[in-house]
């Protein structure tokens, strides 16, 4: 009886792990939530274990934005998402996109994707950033 129960449990764990891996490999679509400085903006994130793609509209035209992975707890930490300088520029209508490979999956390591405006046009200007969007990263693949 115990051998059978152990076998059934093992099969169930393998099935769940395989399903989670296939979803993680295929990617997830997340909705970006506009923040107070860009209330009419909208955007989506396509997130997979090794790629991040963002499409946005309704942002400030002809402006520079950067993309960050952020944790607020247990302490605040951040890292650029993808390849340096982690930036994209919007067109004359406020549309933009960002597509970058990732060295590792952010799932389980980071809690949030943040998109921030650099009013000076310099993606290295960290003192004058204004938050534009955020999206919560699920704690695990679903």
């Amino acid at each position: 009886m115990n051998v059978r129960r152990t076998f059934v449990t093992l099969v169930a764990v393998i099935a769940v792990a395989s399903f989670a891996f296939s979803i993680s490999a295929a990617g997830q679509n997340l909705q970006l939530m506009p923040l107070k400085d860009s209330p009419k903006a909208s955007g989506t994130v396509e997130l997979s274990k090794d790629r991040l793609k963002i499409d946005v509209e309704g942002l400030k035209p002809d402006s520079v934005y950067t993309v960050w992975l952020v944790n607020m707890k247990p302490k605040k930490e951040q890292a650029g998402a993808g390849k340096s300088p982690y930036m994209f520029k919007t067109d004359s209508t406020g549309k933009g996109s960002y597509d970058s490979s990732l060295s590792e999956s952010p799932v389980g390591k980071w809690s949030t994707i943040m998109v921030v405006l650099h009013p000076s046009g310099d993606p290295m200007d960290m003192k004058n950033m204004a938050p534009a969007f955020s999206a919560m990263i699920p704690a695990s693949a679903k």
Side-chain angles (χ1 to χ4, degrees), residues 39-58:
K40 295 185 179 188
S42 64
T44 58
V45 175
E46 291 178 40
L47 180 63
S48 69
K49 67 179 184 173
D50 63 354
R51 187 150 220 80
L52 173 69
K53 182 169 181 6
I54 296 175
D55 289 303
V56 293
E57 59 184 43

Side-chain angles (χ1 to χ4, degrees), residues 47-52 69 79 81-83 100-107 109-110:
L47 180 63
S48 69
K49 67 179 184 173
D50 63 354
R51 187 150 220 80
L52 173 69
L69 299 170
K83 305 283 184 205
S100 183
S101 60
L102 300 172
S103 60
E104 63 183 344
S105 173
V107 174
K109 182 174 182 178
W110 297 99

Side-chain angles (χ1 to χ4, degrees), residues 19-43:
F19 178 72
F21 178 76
S22 68
I23 294 297
S24 177
Q28 304 178 55
N29 289 324
L30 308 173
Q31 191 69 36
L32 284 166
M33 302 305 294
L35 300 173
K36 84 175 189 181
D37 290 343
S38 56
K40 295 185 179 188
S42 64

